[in-house]
């Protein structure tokens, strides 16, 4: 998908940071490490005897914004400074 968007010079936003790492413009999504940690907490509660049906449904609480600044320049886009400051990671 990243190569196809780049071929057609389309700015695209993805859900996982790995897309931005391989050349995607922007990614915004749940922090995978935090999601795995929450899954571990759930597994621990079940192993301690909690009924899975009694456990609350959790939503990710940590999200990360990754901007590939090099891709933005290649596409001829200028990324506002406020967005660069707000990003968790900017790939140069």
């Amino acid at each position: 998908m990243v190569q196809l968007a780049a071929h057609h010079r389309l700015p695209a936003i993805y859900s996982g940071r790995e897309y931005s790492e391989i050349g995607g413009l922007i990614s915004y999504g749940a922090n995978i490490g935090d999601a795995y940690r929450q899954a571990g907490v759930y597994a621990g509660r079940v192993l301690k005897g909690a009924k899975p049906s009694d456990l609350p449904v959790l939503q990710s609480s940590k999200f990360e914004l990754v901007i590939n600044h090099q891709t933005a320049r290649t596409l001829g886009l200028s990324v506002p400074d406020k967005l660069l400051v707000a990003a968790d990671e900017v790939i140069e």
Side-chain angles (χ1 to χ4, degrees):
M1 288 179 21
V2 173
Q3 289 177 348
L4 189 59
H7 175 74
H8 292 286
R9 299 187 51 82
L10 295 172
I13 299 175
Y14 303 93
S15 60
R17 73 175 294 121
E18 53 276 348
Y19 293 105
S20 290
E21 291 172 350
I22 62 171
L25 179 60
I26 296 175
S27 65
Y28 182 73
N31 180 302
I32 298 300
D34 185 55
Y36 287 149
R37 184 192 60 75
Q38 286 181 346
V41 170
Y42 253 49
R45 291 168 114 184
V46 170
L47 291 173
K48 289 179 182 177
K51 291 183 181 180
S53 61
D54 293 340
L55 295 176
V57 175
L58 294 178
Q59 179 178 327
S60 292
S61 58
K62 291 184 181 178
F63 292 86
E64 57 187 359
L65 173 65
V66 180
I67 300 172
N68 190 322
H69 204 215
Q70 180 180 356
T71 300
R73 285 191 295 267
T74 301
L75 293 172
L77 301 173
S78 61
V79 180
D81 290 336
K82 287 185 178 185
L83 192 58
L84 290 172
V85 170
D88 295 300
E89 183 178 349
V90 177
I91 299 170
E92 293 293 338

